[in-house]
Amino acid sequence: MDDGKLASIPTGLVNDNALISAVRNTYLSFLERRDALGLSNPGTFENISREVSRDILLTNFMFTGLRAEWNKPISNSPIFQLSHQLSMGAQGMSPYTFSALYGSSKVFLQGTMENDGSLVARSNYRWNNSLITKTNAQIQSSQSMLSIENDYTGRDFTASLKAMNPSIIEGGVKGIFIASYLQSVTPSLALGIEAVWQRVAMNSSPEALLSYGARYKGSDWIASLQMQSEGPQGSAISSSYWRRLTDKVSVGTDLSLQFAPGLSGQGGLMGGSLQKEGSATAGAKYEFRASTFRAQIDSKGRLGCLLEKTILPAVRVTFAGEMDHLKQQAKVGVGVSVEAMSEDLMEQAEKGGVQAPAVPF
């Protein structure tokens, strides 16, 4: 119930009913104190460490082999773009991929088809300024996947509800269901919780997991901590730290620890030692006038780097490399991306006559 609905209650009824009057006064007092804190939206629980995992580390950028991409923008408002991608010697990438993208202020649509017939379709719909529904469908020869997610973005919190491969046609509920909530409690600190319930098949018992998270934002640094409880299977702890050294240089670290009960000498769990496994990764990002360089090293002896350089306004070249000192292995990737924008769209972009819509990515 918001302040407008409370104000619409007849004044006589509020004054005559002590319970309604107490609830209204308490709620209005809570809103005043909440506004006085000046809290901002902390983002989603899933991206609690986004500065490190999505911007510094190479997990989302590394590739191997040769890759060429040709992008053809058709329109700026709404956004409409076609893309062709060729790859050779790349692990986990199709030799040919065709993609189409459409985006407006309310709708985002993206479809990708590979040469073997695999199809990936994404759609986001913004119901209002706070609620966005995201749908992702994958159709492959081996398996298919469907996920539906709803994100509600409040002034100082974000609540998310996600379902992956939900089904009730086999006499019960199965699939993976994830609910998360992240709330700013001070201008710098945000706390959150995530619950996961999953059942792979009806003949298997369901499993439930709980995760707790905290995010603290300083003047030029951000730290996050996540703790996941997996019941008798063990637990996991992950932390990240991001810091901006200069306007063009930022660094980040990520630490993950997993704890699992070990087996005793009799083959049982009771009395067994606690098995521990951990990994640490440190990375840096350098932004130059026409290029971006990322590098990282982890506790397993792997050193990686990635350079993205714009050699022409419509041409970008990417070099990627990784060396595993323990396994004595090396990987190299080279990519070229060309954006074939028409003269009319280039003139519109230079003049700033057409403003791109705020697409709900």
Side-chain angles (χ1 to χ4, degrees), residues 244 246-250 284-295 306-310:
R244 182 175 294 280
T246 67
D247 293 340
K248 299 183 180 297
V249 181
S250 55
K285 176 184 176 182
Y286 300 82
E287 296 180 271
F288 303 99
R289 182 179 61 85
S291 61
T292 302
F293 178 76
R294 292 178 174 89
L306 185 136
L307 174 64
E308 294 177 302
K309 182 175 180 58
T310 302

Side-chain angles (χ1 to χ4, degrees), residues 9 75 97 106 118 133 174 186 191 245 249 263 325 359:
I9 300 177
S75 172
T97 302
K106 280 187 169 293
S118 300
T133 298
K174 74 173 186 177
T186 71
L191 301 177
L245 301 180
V249 181
L263 296 178
H325 290 83
V359 181

Side-chain angles (χ1 to χ4, degrees), residues 122-142:
R122 295 176 54 200
S123 67
N124 298 351
Y125 185 80
R126 177 183 282 125
W127 300 93
N128 51 48
N129 293 332
S130 300
L131 181 61
I132 296 179
T133 298
K134 304 176 182 179
T135 305
N136 189 343
Q138 299 181 14
I139 302 177
Q140 300 176 344
S141 58
S142 58

Side-chain angles (χ1 to χ4, degrees), residues 22 35 51 74 79 99 104 120 128 142-143 168-169 230 329:
D35 293 338
E51 288 80 11
I74 306 298
I79 297 176
S99 177
S104 65
V120 178
N128 51 48
S142 58
Q143 61 180 0
I168 57 173
I169 62 176
E230 301 178 358
Q329 296 178 353

Side-chain angles (χ1 to χ4, degrees), residues 28-48:
L28 293 178
S29 177
F30 169 76
L31 289 180
E32 292 177 358
R33 295 183 180 182
R34 185 176 176 182
D35 293 338
L37 291 175
L39 303 179
S40 60
N41 184 274
T44 61
F45 187 93
E46 181 183 8
N47 296 325
I48 197 171

Side-chain angles (χ1 to χ4, degrees), residues 83-340:
S83 175
H84 302 268
Q85 181 175 292
L86 300 173
S87 62
M88 182 174 62
Q91 297 180 356
M93 296 183 64
S94 176
Y96 172 74
T97 302
F98 171 76
S99 177
L101 182 149
Y102 173 86
S104 65
S105 59
K106 280 187 169 293
V107 179
F108 168 73
L109 301 173
Q110 184 180 27
T112 302
M113 177 170 286
E114 300 178 353
N115 63 291
D116 60 355
S118 300
L119 176 65
V120 178
R122 295 176 54 200
S123 67
N124 298 351
Y125 185 80
R126 177 183 282 125
W127 300 93
N128 51 48
N129 293 332
S130 300
L131 181 61
I132 296 179
T133 298
K134 304 176 182 179
T135 305
N136 189 343
Q138 299 181 14
I139 302 177
Q140 300 176 344
S141 58
S142 58
Q143 61 180 0
S144 300
M145 190 273 291
L146 172 66
S147 68
I148 303 173
E149 181 178 2
N150 292 280
D151 291 341
Y152 186 87
T153 305
R155 182 174 49 185
D156 53 12
F157 72 93
T158 300
S160 301
L161 183 62
K162 185 176 183 179
M164 300 177 63
N165 287 340
S167 175
I168 57 173
I169 62 176
E170 298 182 13
V173 179
K174 74 173 186 177
I176 302 175
F177 301 88
I178 305 173
S180 62
Y181 182 84
L182 187 61
Q183 170 72 59
S184 294
V185 294
T186 71
S188 301
L189 178 63
L191 301 177
I193 185 173
E194 182 182 70
V196 180
W197 185 93
Q198 63 178 356
R199 173 184 280 174
V200 181
M202 294 306 301
N203 56 3
S204 63
S205 59
E207 299 178 359
L209 307 175
L210 276 179
S211 299
Y212 308 92
R215 173 183 169 92
Y216 191 89
K217 183 177 182 181
S219 57
D220 58 356
W221 60 274
I222 299 174
S224 66
L225 176 66
Q226 289 180 270
M227 300 178 63
Q228 183 182 76
S229 174
E230 301 178 358
Q233 300 178 0
S235 60
I237 300 176
S238 63
S239 62
S240 67
Y241 178 79
W242 175 89
R243 187 179 186 92
R244 182 175 294 280
L245 301 180
T246 67
D247 293 340
K248 299 183 180 297
V249 181
S250 55
V251 296
T253 60
D254 180 83
L255 175 64
S256 299
L257 298 174
Q258 294 182 349
F259 305 91
L263 296 178
S264 66
Q266 302 298 325
L269 293 177
M270 298 302 296
S273 60
L274 187 65
Q275 302 295 325
K276 300 178 289 291
E277 183 179 354
S279 63
T281 306
K285 176 184 176 182
Y286 300 82
E287 296 180 271
F288 303 99
R289 182 179 61 85
S291 61
T292 302
F293 178 76
R294 292 178 174 89
Q296 76 173 37
I297 186 172
D298 60 24
S299 57
K300 298 181 180 180
R302 293 178 299 188
L303 174 64
C305 63
L306 185 136
L307 174 64
E308 294 177 302
K309 182 175 180 58
T310 302
I311 58 177
L312 291 174
V315 180
R316 186 178 72 252
V317 179
T318 304
F319 300 93
E322 182 182 86
M323 179 176 293
D324 193 326
H325 290 83
L326 297 181
K327 297 182 179 180
Q328 297 295 316
Q329 296 178 353
K331 301 177 182 179
V332 178
V334 179
V336 178
S337 178
V338 179
E339 186 168 305

